[in-house]
Amino acid sequence: MAYLAIKNLSKSFQNNLVLDHINFEIEKGTFLSLLGPSGCGKTTTLRLIAGFEHQDEGTIHIGGNTIDTLPPYKRNIGLVFQSYALFPHMTVGQNIAYGLEQRNFTKGDIKKEVSKALEMVQLTGFENRKPRQLSGGQQQRVALARALVIKPSLLLLDESLSALDKKLRVDMQIELRQIQKEVGITTLFVTHDQEEAMTLSDQIAVMKNGKIVQMDTPQNIYKNPVNSFVASFIGQSNFLKGRIKENSQFVLQNGSTFSLPQQDYSLYNQEEYIISVRPEKIRVDQTRPSYPHIQGKVKFVTYIGNLSMYLIEALGHDIRIQQQNDSYRDQLKVNDEIYFSWNASDQSILTE
Amino acid sequence: MNKKWWLVSPPVFLLISFCVIPLFIMVYYSFLSDGTTGHLTLQNYLNFFQKGFYLKLTWKTISTSLLVTIICILIGFPMAYIMAKVINSGKNIILIAIIIPFWTSQLVRAYSWQNLLRDGGILEIILRKLHIIGPEPLGILFTQTAVIIALIHIFFPYMVITIYMSLEKMDTSLIEASKSLNAGPFTTFWRIILPLSKPGIISGSILVFVPSLGVFVEPRILGGTEGSVIGTVIEDQFFEIYGWNFGAAVAFILLMIVFISTTVLSKFAKEEV
Amino acid sequence: MLKKGIAWVYTCIIFTFLYAPIAVLMLMSFNESQYNSLPFQFSTRWYNELANNQTLIDSSLTSIYVAAITALFCVILATMLMLWIVQTKSPLKKWIDSLIILPLTIPWLILGLSILLLLNLLNWDKNFYILLVGHIIISLPYTVMVIKARLQSLDFSINEASASLGANEWTTFRKITFPLLFPAMLAGGFLAFVISFDNFILSYFLIPSGQSTLPIEIYSSIKFGFTPEINAVSTVLLAGTTIIIIFIVTVMKASLKFLFK
């Protein structure tokens, strides 16, 4: 069995099924993100593992043992809360020492462990400050040190970076990932921020309506989303809904037709498909090319420094295209007539 | 894990046994003819409603409370507005200064007015020195006026603080926006400030009107023979005449007036905004 | 500038109205004359008489005793209630919330007489315990409001943080909740003390015969005749209350709101 194994976990609140028989396993040392919109069940999963709620069905195993019957204070799980939940009446040192005191460490050992933990999060010398005297990023580090100092079997992070401003968040992401690798601790990170999940994780589990929709490495999820929800939740994508006819023709719901890139489509024999193409995978030509393409007109241009985003009107749809601003490529202008296309390997053919 | 009934049951038991159940017992008594031994009857209520005296007293109680409430709004609103929007410094000190008399004994405060208002008292002497009154006595103590003054004094802080809290929440830029749209001070007050402070005025009114209905100490101390209200009738029935059943009926009628006015006023507060 | 001037004048008028009667009362407590008459002649005569008035001293001691026990019970009961309320998901929560503020919405006159009728129905004599219960019931909502205001300002996840670090519920209460709640418990206790100590109406209905509290003594003195010691004892009372209220406000400086409704 894997290090952390969740089996058939279910939970309802007031007849409202928030977690619907989820299953997943991860190996020791893995950084897994539970990613999804609010209400998808990710926080419930975390609270069940921490023991603050009790599941209706299913089991949780850590290191081969079930923890289902243990109260939260016997689970030995480190937690970093969204609000950090530092004890406001205690100093930084006392906050970090708290978990060790519960484990009956001697005074000397506590002192040693606390200063080691502070060193790890680069806050040496802050022992005697009160939490309110620290910046958001520093509070975050104290919370992390407090959770890690007890040598937990699992680290849970609940939207832990979302309270920080953007620049600090990126710094903290890198630092968090470094510490996590150094300690080698199995980590579960709950977030609704796909960028954060992509940056930090070994694995991402995308959740929706109490179920795991897809669980894989960030690269695979981005490249091969299983459905349009995942494709739109992780990054941006263009969706074209319609039928695939013989000789690679695609008929959209509004009746317009275009040729798909060269590929064998004989297996796609259902009524309806969604073609998903990422904006940065679309190729633009200003003269009509020889390969299958679609014709369109530039409606709107957004310049974002190294990139440009274009909104193209084609086939009665709005298509987003993203291009690098290179010196050899001219920027498109509004009302330019263009021809665009993509490679078969860059499209996902989805059923929902 | 969240059950923990042992935390909540002692206080709940206490409140049900000594607050809720006694109210039902009061209702029960109000339908008895005599003590606990009498038979069930409507006589206590008939006595109340058939005598013009009690109906007049009821109306007097309600109108006095209404008058007190209106005066509290009229003098309380400017005070609240000054605290919320005009002055910048010393706000907290003013707030505390308004709170302090509020928490001191109601009895002592009523008594202090007796000192001030009586004939030959300090107010009379000052007014005479200022030639506002002639040699005749002041004649305020032991009238309805004295009761109203004391009630305003007692409940005024409620009004100021609730209006203050609603004005404090109001964004000052709204007033500026109104002025920038060429509205004069009167229009700004009438169209912007007043509607937005309505919830505060109404909850302040509940806090002034409802307790004014049930007073009996102030009318007793300051109203003399003129001071009778529902509260004093109830006190008489329990401490002088020993007509407990009738007293219970009057108390129940008072309770109903309290509930109805609270409900109606809260409805007002919920409308709009 | 003119606006500010008018504002200060108005404020002064209001404060004259609020404080004049109290000031006159305090002044008169130092006046030699038995009939509060002028001219003013400084004297501590009434305070000396107060010190020798055994009835007033006894009733004051009773009031302090009742108020102290009331405060203690209110703090304990309010803390229990609030610890339950903040973490419960019970559908009963709404009902219990309105049950707690019920004594605030009913005139004390009615509460007092209905408890008296309960005693009458059960054929019990008026006794000290019932008096205490009455005082606890009317003071409890205020203590609850103070403690609730504090609990709501605390981040509930610190309790969960404590649990995740290995502390059981009792340790969490002892080391986290209690120290953070303590100022509010103190303030709430003093508030209950003030309310109980000043309360006249409940005591009036429920006091066992032969006993008396300070407000009852004051009331009967006012009603039945003129005793200038009342000025002195009221001054002491006002001073005591003011000190306690200032103390509460300082302890709970974060929010003054709880002192109302």
Side-chain angles (χ1 to χ4, degrees):
Chain A
M1 198 193 289
Y3 183 69
L4 170 67
I6 305 291
K7 288 184 178 160
N8 238 0
L9 206 60
S10 267
K11 176 76 184 171
S12 307
F13 292 112
Q14 276 126 27
N15 296 327
N16 190 0
L17 191 61
V18 283
L19 208 58
D20 187 3
H21 301 90
I22 65 160
N23 289 283
F24 65 84
E25 294 190 350
I26 51 174
E27 294 304 329
K28 199 170 167 108
T30 307
F31 194 115
L32 169 71
S33 289
L34 298 178
L35 175 67
S38 60
C40 71
K42 56 188 194 297
T43 300
T44 305
T45 311
L46 181 126
R47 293 178 63 79
L48 288 174
I49 296 172
F52 300 140
E53 311 281 352
H54 206 264
Q55 65 261 38
D56 303 333
E57 270 179 73
T59 52
I60 302 164
H61 297 266
I62 297 178
N65 303 314
T66 168
I67 56 166
D68 297 330
T69 54
L70 296 177
Y73 55 88
K74 287 195 177 149
R75 292 196 175 192
N76 198 35
I77 288 174
L79 240 156
V80 178
F81 290 82
Q82 184 170 13
S83 59
Y84 315 139
L86 298 177
F87 307 129
H89 59 306
M90 295 184 185
T91 62
V92 168
Q94 287 167 335
N95 261 283
I96 298 174
Y98 189 82
L100 300 171
E101 283 163 15
Q102 307 313 318
R103 286 163 177 75
N104 298 322
F105 276 54
T106 63
K107 281 236 161 72
D109 286 348
I110 289 178
K111 214 170 162 211
K112 236 185 290 162
E113 291 294 323
V114 169
S115 65
K116 254 203 289 181
L118 282 168
E119 198 188 316
M120 173 183 73
V121 296
Q122 300 167 27
L123 282 177
T124 308
F126 283 72
E127 286 98 319
N128 296 320
R129 301 262 189 114
K130 285 281 180 71
R132 65 171 179 278
Q133 298 168 300
L134 303 180
S135 70
Q138 289 168 335
Q139 291 185 15
Q140 163 84 61
R141 288 177 204 183
V142 176
L144 186 63
R146 186 179 70 177
L148 286 175
V149 78
I150 59 170
K151 305 219 160 32
S153 51
L154 188 67
L155 178 64
L156 303 178
L157 305 168
D158 182 10
E159 306 254 8
S160 304
L161 300 173
S162 59
L164 302 175
D165 62 52
K166 186 160 179 170
K167 228 178 145 223
L168 191 58
R169 197 159 66 208
V170 175
D171 292 344
M172 276 309 296
Q173 282 170 4
I174 296 165
E175 198 178 323
L176 176 63
R177 185 64 165 141
Q178 274 170 350
I179 292 173
Q180 187 263 340
K181 277 195 172 145
E182 219 174 275
V183 182
I185 186 163
T186 319
T187 303
L188 220 64
F189 181 47
V190 159
T191 182
H192 62 268
D193 182 332
Q194 51 101 4
E195 246 177 77
E196 210 161 85
M198 299 287 278
T199 322
L200 287 167
S201 318
D202 299 314
Q203 298 246 309
I204 296 178
V206 182
M207 296 184 70
K208 188 193 178 187
N209 296 337
K211 287 187 172 133
I212 293 180
V213 187
Q214 186 173 14
M215 180 163 154
D216 211 328
T217 62
Q219 294 81 352
N220 285 345
I221 289 194
Y222 189 78
K223 264 173 111 175
N224 305 310
V226 294
N227 60 26
S228 56
F229 170 76
V230 175
S232 63
F233 202 80
I234 305 224
Q236 277 192 337
S237 200
N238 294 295
F239 299 109
L240 296 163
K241 209 173 197 178
R243 268 181 306 132
I244 298 175
K245 297 215 298 189
E246 55 274 30
N247 60 42
S248 311
Q249 289 293 301
F250 193 80
V251 184
L252 287 163
Q253 280 171 328
N254 61 13
S256 12
T257 308
F258 67 93
S259 307
L260 288 166
Q262 292 300 324
Q263 187 190 329
D264 180 12
Y265 293 102
S266 55
L267 288 169
Y268 296 97
N269 46 16
Q270 280 181 42
E271 260 304 287
E272 198 178 70
Y273 287 99
I274 300 168
I275 307 283
S276 164
V277 194
R278 302 276 183 199
E280 73 276 14
K281 299 293 186 191
I282 297 180
R283 179 175 56 236
V284 175
D285 290 293
Q286 278 171 300
T287 49
R288 188 181 292 272
S290 52
Y291 39 80
H293 62 268
I294 304 168
Q295 189 175 354
K297 201 162 93 178
V298 179
K299 240 170 91 179
F300 199 78
V301 180
T302 318
Y303 177 76
I304 345 175
N306 56 336
L307 300 172
S308 283
M309 289 289 296
Y310 300 107
L311 197 63
I312 310 294
E313 192 180 354
L315 310 164
H317 282 254
D318 284 339
I319 308 287
R320 279 166 213 275
I321 299 180
Q322 180 184 316
Q323 283 205 321
Q324 292 283 337
N325 291 327
D326 300 325
S327 50
Y328 56 85
R329 191 153 35 193
D330 286 335
Q331 260 215 287
L332 301 177
K333 290 185 293 296
V334 175
N335 286 333
D336 280 0
E337 289 284 337
I338 57 149
Y339 309 91
F340 62 93
S341 51
W342 57 85
N343 292 333
S345 59
D346 289 331
Q347 71 184 12
S348 308
I349 303 174
L350 310 170
T351 53
E352 53 167 344
Chain B
M1 180 175 142
N2 284 327
K3 291 289 185 286
K4 293 200 196 133
W5 286 105
W6 61 271
L7 278 175
V8 73
S9 33
V12 167
F13 168 78
L14 200 71
L15 284 165
I16 290 181
S17 321
F18 296 99
C19 184
V20 178
I21 291 177
L23 290 177
F24 284 102
I25 292 174
M26 180 186 85
V27 177
Y28 171 66
Y29 266 74
S30 74
F31 288 106
L32 286 181
S33 62
D34 180 35
T36 40
T37 51
H39 55 89
L40 286 173
T41 173
L42 281 174
Q43 198 53 47
N44 297 318
Y45 290 95
L46 290 177
N47 280 348
F48 186 90
F49 286 110
Q50 281 169 349
K51 281 193 192 141
F53 171 69
Y54 289 120
L55 292 178
K56 246 189 249 165
L57 219 55
T58 310
W59 173 240
K60 184 179 165 196
T61 308
I62 294 174
S63 58
T64 304
S65 304
L66 212 57
L67 188 63
V68 168
T69 310
I70 290 168
I71 298 177
C72 278
I73 295 174
L74 292 180
I75 61 173
F77 194 96
M79 190 66 239
Y81 187 79
I82 288 169
M83 285 162 65
K85 301 289 174 205
V86 181
I87 54 168
N88 310 316
S89 53
K91 217 184 263 192
N92 274 334
I93 294 179
I94 294 183
L95 206 58
I96 292 169
I98 287 181
I99 295 171
I100 285 171
F102 176 72
W103 285 106
T104 56
S105 161
Q106 205 168 323
L107 194 61
V108 169
R109 280 199 285 162
Y111 169 65
S112 69
W113 279 103
Q114 205 181 47
N115 249 333
L116 197 64
L117 295 177
R118 71 194 168 81
D119 293 344
I122 293 211
L123 187 65
E124 189 182 296
I125 294 170
I126 292 173
L127 289 178
R128 192 163 294 137
K129 282 256 162 71
L130 294 171
H131 298 288
I132 293 173
I133 56 167
E136 73 279 7
L138 189 59
I140 291 182
L141 190 62
F142 303 129
T143 65
Q144 192 62 11
T145 316
V147 178
I148 290 173
I149 291 174
L151 290 181
I152 293 168
H153 185 240
I154 280 161
F155 297 120
F156 173 73
Y158 271 136
M159 188 63 84
V160 176
I161 301 297
T162 45
I163 297 178
Y164 167 74
M165 288 196 297
S166 70
L167 286 174
E168 179 77 357
K169 262 189 288 176
M170 190 171 86
D171 192 348
T172 308
S173 58
L174 290 175
I175 300 171
E176 287 158 4
S178 166
K179 284 180 183 159
S180 77
L181 295 167
N182 277 342
F186 181 77
T187 316
T188 303
F189 174 78
W190 199 249
R191 300 278 304 275
I192 309 291
I193 299 171
L194 198 61
L196 285 173
S197 51
K198 202 178 105 181
I201 295 174
I202 288 176
S203 45
S205 300
I206 294 177
L207 292 175
V208 174
F209 183 72
V210 169
S212 310
L213 290 170
V215 294
F216 73 92
V217 174
E218 293 76 10
R220 217 25 122 209
I221 295 178
L222 300 165
T225 46
E226 242 189 72
S228 297
V229 282
I230 292 191
T232 57
V233 170
I234 296 172
E235 191 207 355
D236 280 340
Q237 295 298 327
F238 275 86
F239 290 94
E240 309 290 337
I241 306 169
Y242 293 98
W244 288 19
N245 301 97
F246 181 66
V250 180
F252 183 60
I253 291 166
L254 175 63
L255 189 62
M256 284 302 105
I257 298 173
V258 165
F259 273 151
I260 291 167
S261 33
T262 315
T263 318
V264 170
L265 281 170
S266 325
K267 274 251 168 65
F268 266 121
K270 270 179 204 148
E271 260 173 39
E272 296 176 48
V273 185
Chain C
M1 232 31 245
L2 177 69
K3 205 171 160 193
K4 285 221 165 136
I6 296 171
W8 282 112
V9 170
Y10 190 81
T11 309
C12 287
I13 293 172
I14 291 293
F15 277 94
T16 310
F17 171 66
L18 278 181
Y19 280 93
I22 298 170
V24 169
L25 179 117
M26 289 181 164
L27 198 66
M28 284 305 163
S29 74
F30 292 102
N31 191 0
E32 174 71 30
S33 159
Q34 187 166 2
Y35 304 104
N36 285 352
S37 54
L38 295 174
F40 182 77
Q41 218 187 333
F42 182 82
S43 146
T44 52
R45 172 180 163 196
W46 304 115
Y47 288 90
N48 293 332
E49 294 208 2
L50 184 63
N52 296 319
N53 186 333
Q54 202 54 45
T55 326
L56 281 181
I57 291 171
D58 285 346
S59 60
S60 303
L61 289 178
T62 311
S63 284
I64 291 174
Y65 179 63
V66 170
I69 298 176
T70 300
L72 184 67
F73 271 96
C74 281
V75 170
I76 296 170
L77 292 173
T79 309
M80 288 164 76
L81 259 176
M82 285 302 104
L83 287 178
W84 184 82
I85 289 267
V86 291
Q87 57 177 309
T88 188
K89 291 185 186 108
S90 164
L92 285 174
K93 178 178 184 291
K94 224 176 69 196
W95 289 97
I96 290 175
D97 269 332
S98 30
L99 183 66
I100 297 166
I101 57 158
L102 187 66
L104 278 185
T105 56
I106 297 171
W108 285 350
L109 170 70
I110 293 177
L111 275 179
L113 73 87
S114 62
I115 298 177
L116 183 64
L117 290 173
L118 171 80
L119 293 184
N120 187 263
L121 186 74
L122 296 174
N123 228 342
W124 288 356
D125 286 331
K126 291 184 191 176
N127 61 58
F128 226 75
Y129 301 107
I130 294 295
L131 179 72
L132 279 173
V133 165
H135 277 240
I136 291 168
I137 282 178
I138 57 158
S139 314
L140 187 62
Y142 295 92
T143 314
V144 163
M145 282 187 293
V146 178
I147 292 177
K148 194 176 182 180
R150 176 70 179 163
L151 264 181
Q152 280 171 343
S153 74
L154 293 177
D155 176 7
F156 186 73
S157 51
I158 58 174
N159 292 314
E160 293 180 342
S162 170
S164 79
L165 292 168
N168 61 31
E169 288 178 43
W170 174 237
T171 310
T172 301
F173 178 77
R174 221 160 31 92
K175 293 199 157 176
I176 308 295
T177 321
F178 180 74
L180 288 172
L181 219 49
F182 186 70
M185 289 164 76
L186 207 60
F190 273 107
L191 202 57
F193 184 92
V194 170
I195 291 172
S196 164
F197 191 83
D198 280 346
N199 184 274
F200 160 67
I201 298 174
L202 264 289
S203 306
Y204 189 44
F205 278 97
L206 301 176
I207 194 86
S209 54
Q211 303 258 24
S212 174
T213 66
L214 186 57
I216 291 180
E217 280 304 313
I218 295 177
Y219 185 66
S220 47
S221 302
I222 298 169
K223 223 172 139 185
F224 298 117
F226 203 75
T227 31
E229 283 131 301
I230 294 303
N231 285 339
V233 81
S234 300
T235 304
V236 174
L237 197 72
L238 289 175
T241 315
T242 308
I243 290 167
I244 293 177
I245 292 298
I246 290 175
F247 171 79
I248 296 171
V249 171
T250 336
V251 168
M252 294 288 292
K253 54 185 173 291
S255 127
L256 295 171
K257 254 195 202 165
F258 65 85
L259 283 175
F260 304 88
K261 187 73 190 173

